[in-house]
Amino acid sequence: MEFFENYSLKSSNSFGFEVSAEFCCSVTSLNELREALAFAESQNLDVLVLGGGSNLILVGDIAGLVILNRLSGIEVEADLSDAGKVRVTGAAGENWHEFVRHTIQYGAYGLENLSLIPGTVGAAPMQNIGAYGVEIKDRMVSLKALDRVTGKVCEFSTEACEFGYRDSVFKQRDAGRYIITEVCFLLSREINPVLDYAGLRDRFKAQGIAEPTALQISDLICEIRQSKLPDPLEIGNAGSFFKNPVVSIAKRQSILDSNPGLVSFPEGEGYKLAAGWLIDQLGWKGRRQGDAAVYDKQALVLVNHGAATGEDILRLARAIQDDVLNHFNVALEIEPRTFPE
Ligand code: FAD
Ligand code: NAP
């Protein structure tokens, strides 16, 4: 196994920032992962595990060892207690979208709404990835992770992951402690389409498709996403930069009174506001500060047009946060994590 020194992370982070890791290695097995951790311990190095690097803001060089998780393998087994269900387990380094397409090809349904989300299977539980009304907490049964404190592999039930909206125990209390090695999903033999999002429902209606297959749903979502979101290989980005804020009923009403077009949805005791709509209203869509910019087709996505740094993107993000706070009295929280912290 090779450890590279001063390794460029430009192609390992979807913003395409020019930063480097003091040391970097790829791991393809649990043994290699243990070997990498032993190397880090022997050299007294901090460790950062990366999958596809699509949910990060790298603001500078990373001291210590960056481990690129490339564990591979997909296992499918019948669920012994329910003939209509299938268990599909993906190793952490598997590409998420290819994993989703694999489940569909196998006739195991439930992940189709999560098509074309970049990154790896192992990072998906970190923020409970979600799109088009489905989150992985709705389909996951368990995951395995290497505990860096005990050195043992342990199993987490869905409940133990403490999933929330784009959140989990791995992003919060236990950040950095566990390295996820595999994730197991309980999927259905029969499709139960989730078509609550107007974008999906209306497109199928227009095409005269009343009962779409999982493949049709996946294909349509890929098409919509490709038309709205920048491809990180062409324009650096980390997807939605801000979480959608959840506010009280009273606060939503006060915003609605002066902004009748406000896009919002009931969420728990209050309402989720579409952060992209708030940002768009203030005229940020397409605005540029040097090479850091707000994407011109989707105000929730910040992009690197070439030579922007993580600091440039954060400066732009702070200006947007201030503007949204001043105008709507709503605090926007940044979704991707920043390294070095
Ligand atoms: P990375 O960016 O490599 O890592 C993210 C975090 O997880 C880091 O803190 C890292 O240390 C940690 N991590 C990674 N792997 C492991 C592991 N095996 N064990 C422990 N910790 C680990 N997200 C959504 O939820 N929904 C979307 O619809 C969506 N759309 C996107 C569209 C675009 C164009 C882009 C660029 C991003 C989008 N994202 C979306 C965000 C991102 O794709 C997801 O969060 C994805 O799960 C990140 O995976 P990754 O492998 O790239 O993680
Ligand atoms: P959209 O369909 O234009 O909807 C705008 C916002 O309204 C979304 O943020 C979504 O919230 C919310 N919304 C729409 N219909 C809803 C419904 N029926 N019930 C509840 N909430 C509803 O959004 P988009 O920007 O094109 O993205 C489509 C999906 O992909 C969304 O789910 C989005 O979260 C996901 N996505 C995520 C990222 C990321 O990096 N996290 C990047 C791109 C796309 P939610 O965001 O809570 O779903």
Side-chain angles (χ1 to χ4, degrees):
M1 201 177 142
E2 246 183 303
F3 294 93
F4 298 96
E5 239 175 300
N6 290 325
Y7 185 85
S8 169
L9 294 174
K10 186 174 165 61
S11 61
S12 304
N13 78 100
S14 63
F15 262 118
F17 296 137
E18 291 270 15
V19 295
S20 61
E22 188 182 0
F23 290 95
C24 185
C25 67
S26 299
V27 297
T28 57
S29 67
L30 195 55
N31 278 345
E32 285 190 354
L33 177 57
R34 287 190 192 281
E35 197 183 320
L37 293 175
F39 172 81
E41 204 175 326
S42 70
Q43 308 279 315
N44 206 14
L45 301 172
D46 285 340
V47 166
L48 173 63
V49 176
L50 295 189
S54 64
N55 207 21
L56 306 166
I57 312 156
L58 298 180
V59 289
D61 292 340
I62 305 293
L65 175 65
V66 168
I67 300 177
L68 302 175
N69 190 322
R70 301 292 178 259
L71 302 185
S72 63
I74 298 176
E75 260 180 43
V76 183
E77 51 186 333
D79 186 68
L80 296 178
S81 58
D82 185 345
K85 300 278 185 189
V86 192
R87 282 172 186 262
V88 187
T89 303
E94 287 287 341
N95 173 276
W96 173 260
H97 174 67
E98 283 165 21
F99 176 74
V100 170
R101 296 292 280 202
H102 185 92
T103 60
I104 295 170
Q105 274 156 19
Y106 189 80
Y109 308 128
L111 297 178
E112 50 281 353
N113 287 36
L114 302 176
S115 297
L116 215 61
I117 296 181
T120 53
V121 168
M126 292 298 294
Q127 70 153 6
N128 178 26
I129 57 167
Y132 295 100
V134 174
E135 294 176 325
I136 67 155
K137 75 168 172 48
D138 307 323
R139 310 287 184 252
M140 203 192 103
V141 272
S142 62
L143 62 78
K144 284 189 182 160
L146 181 68
D147 183 349
R148 293 183 54 209
V149 174
T150 65
K152 291 189 175 146
V153 173
C154 47
E155 188 160 324
F156 283 74
S157 64
T158 307
E159 203 178 22
C161 296
E162 297 177 23
F163 286 128
Y165 171 62
R166 305 286 188 269
D167 210 2
S168 77
V169 72
F170 308 107
K171 209 174 172 182
Q172 300 293 338
R173 199 178 59 236
D174 286 331
R177 174 168 175 177
Y178 295 98
I179 300 174
I180 296 168
T181 56
E182 63 177 53
V183 189
C184 177
F185 297 89
L186 188 63
L187 302 177
S188 300
R189 283 279 180 212
E190 239 173 67
I191 178 170
N192 295 301
V194 178
L195 302 176
D196 304 332
Y197 277 48
L200 290 185
R201 208 180 39 231
D202 296 349
R203 287 284 288 275
F204 280 127
K205 209 168 163 192
Q207 290 170 13
I209 300 172
E211 291 180 9
T213 64
L215 190 58
Q216 283 173 321
I217 295 172
S218 175
D219 284 346
L220 178 58
I221 285 176
C222 290
E223 197 188 311
I224 297 174
R225 292 181 72 105
Q226 278 162 343
S227 71
K228 276 180 142 177
L229 293 167
D231 178 348
L233 291 176
E234 287 163 20
I235 306 176
N237 76 94
S240 302
F241 200 83
F242 302 101
K243 292 184 183 182
N244 287 326
V246 178
V247 301
S248 66
I249 295 173
K251 185 147 182 183
R252 179 245 186 191
Q253 191 56 51
S254 79
I255 301 173
L256 196 58
D257 289 344
S258 37
N259 301 273
L262 176 69
V263 178
S264 64
F265 301 87
E267 179 80 35
E269 305 281 284
Y271 274 87
K272 173 179 76 180
L273 310 182
W277 187 89
L278 300 174
I279 298 167
D280 200 5
Q281 283 307 294
L282 299 176
W284 282 97
K285 200 188 266 180
R287 254 206 244 172
R288 204 167 160 154
Q289 290 183 352
D291 269 357
V294 181
Y295 190 50
D296 55 6
K297 292 184 198 154
Q298 164 59 286
L300 201 48
V301 178
L302 301 194
V303 296
N304 172 12
H305 279 300
T309 62
E311 284 299 351
D312 295 336
I313 293 285
L314 286 178
R315 200 172 307 114
L316 174 62
R318 279 192 288 271
I320 294 170
Q321 283 173 313
D322 289 348
D323 205 14
V324 169
L325 191 63
N326 286 337
H327 278 81
F328 297 109
N329 194 23
V330 171
L332 290 184
E333 195 187 328
I334 292 177
E335 183 184 290
R337 285 184 61 197
T338 300
F339 297 98
E341 287 166 297

